[in-house]
């Protein structure tokens, strides 16, 4: 009787151990799936945020030829500055990867600052031009929208980068091949200042 009791207790312990192992395996699988899905969602949010920035950059690039043509009529002595803005705009339009687009956007920011600073005081008649004022307002509005989109993108990138770097979710991120995303930052102190578009 004692033998049969020991065999029954051993069988119960064996069943409990197997059940605990099964529960542990299920818990690990569920955690893995939830973590993988969270990483996919964050990655998609980052891509969506970048796409929004891309739209605003495109709008800004489309606005620049009109701005250059308007300034060209008044600022005949600023041809080198205008050429630099057009070249920066063309380079920005040709950029393919997010990193290239970020660098191109920063170069364009610098060129625009030089242009706007050059014409600000030198051409008072340009300040009165209705088309130029309208372009200024459009550019100012785009800069505000772009800044908001940058902040959102950088916030999503921060969440994504934290998720792929913090243990234990870093295990899933490494297995899935996720890499740290780059923030959309301005390159220099001069570029950190707002583009002055009010005359």
């Amino acid at each position: 009787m004692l033998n049969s009791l020991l065999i029954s207790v051993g069988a119960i312990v064996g069943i409990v151990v197997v059940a605990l192992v099964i529960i542990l395996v299920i818990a690990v699988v569920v955690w893995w799936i939830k973590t993988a899905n969270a990483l996919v969602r964050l990655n998609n949010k980052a891509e969506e945020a970048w796409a929004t920035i891309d739209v605003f950059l495109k709008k800004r690039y489309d606005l620049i030829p009109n701005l250059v043509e308007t300034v060209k009529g008044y600022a005949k002595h600023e041809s080198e500055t205008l050429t630099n803005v057009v070249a920066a705009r063309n380079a920005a339009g040709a950029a393919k990867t997010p990193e290239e687009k970020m660098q191109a956007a920063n170069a364009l920011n610098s060129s625009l600052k030089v242009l706007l600073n050059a014409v600000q005081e030198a051409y008072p008649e340009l300040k009165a031009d209705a088309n130029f004022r309208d372009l200024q307002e459009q550019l100012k509005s785009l800069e505000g929208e772009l800044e908001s989109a940058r902040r959102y993108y950088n916030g999503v990138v921060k969440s994504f980068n934290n998720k792929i770097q913090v243990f234990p979710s870093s295990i899933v991120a490494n297995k899935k091949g996720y890499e740290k995303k780059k923030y959309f930052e301005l390159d220099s102190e001069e570029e950190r200042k707002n583009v002055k578009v009010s005359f």
Side-chain angles (χ1 to χ4, degrees):
M1 177 141 174
L2 185 59
N3 260 351
S4 66
L5 184 61
L6 286 176
I7 291 173
S8 296
V9 169
I12 292 172
V13 169
I15 291 172
V16 169
V17 168
V18 168
L20 288 175
V21 168
I22 290 172
I23 290 170
L24 182 64
V25 167
I26 290 172
V28 167
V29 168
V30 167
W31 168 82
W32 185 279
I33 291 169
K34 283 180 70 175
T35 303
N37 287 340
L39 287 168
V40 167
R41 280 190 292 276
L42 281 172
N43 188 52
N44 289 343
K45 271 179 127 177
E47 288 176 3
E48 175 196 19
W50 177 255
T52 301
I53 288 174
D54 216 14
V55 167
F56 289 128
L57 289 174
K58 173 81 169 101
K59 284 182 180 180
R60 186 212 263 168
Y61 302 153
D62 290 345
L63 182 65
I64 288 171
N66 295 334
L67 183 66
V68 167
E69 285 302 314
T70 302
V71 171
K72 215 187 261 187
Y74 290 92
K76 307 220 184 299
H77 303 294
E78 303 296 337
S79 62
E80 182 180 341
T81 305
L82 292 169
T83 302
N84 291 342
V85 170
V86 171
R89 184 243 182 221
N90 292 340
K96 300 291 183 216
T97 67
E99 289 78 17
E100 289 174 354
K101 289 180 181 185
M102 287 178 204
Q103 290 174 348
N106 287 332
L108 182 59
N109 282 349
S110 294
S111 297
L112 278 175
K113 281 182 184 147
V114 170
L115 173 66
L116 294 174
N117 288 335
V119 300
Q120 182 177 8
E121 295 302 324
Y123 304 99
E125 66 277 6
L126 180 59
K127 296 178 201 177
D129 184 279
N131 189 34
F132 185 68
R133 284 195 318 260
D134 179 52
L135 291 169
Q136 284 179 350
E137 284 305 311
Q138 288 180 47
L139 184 58
K140 186 176 181 180
S141 174
L142 278 172
E143 290 299 324
E145 291 170 342
L146 187 54
E147 181 56 34
S148 295
R150 276 186 195 132
R151 265 185 267 141
Y152 178 71
Y153 172 78
N154 285 341
V156 172
V157 165
K158 176 184 172 189
S159 297
F160 178 80
N161 288 344
N162 285 343
K163 189 82 169 172
I164 69 169
Q165 291 177 313
V166 173
F167 183 81
S169 60
S170 61
I171 296 168
V172 178
N174 286 335
K175 290 289 183 192
K176 295 285 187 179
Y178 287 113
E179 294 180 2
K180 190 174 173 185
K181 293 189 180 294
K182 186 176 178 183
Y183 291 105
F184 194 162
E185 298 175 321
L186 301 176
D187 284 342
S188 69
E189 279 304 313
E190 185 60 31
E191 290 170 343
R192 292 180 196 281
K193 298 175 186 169
N194 287 337
V195 175
K196 188 164 188 173
V197 294
S198 58
F199 286 77

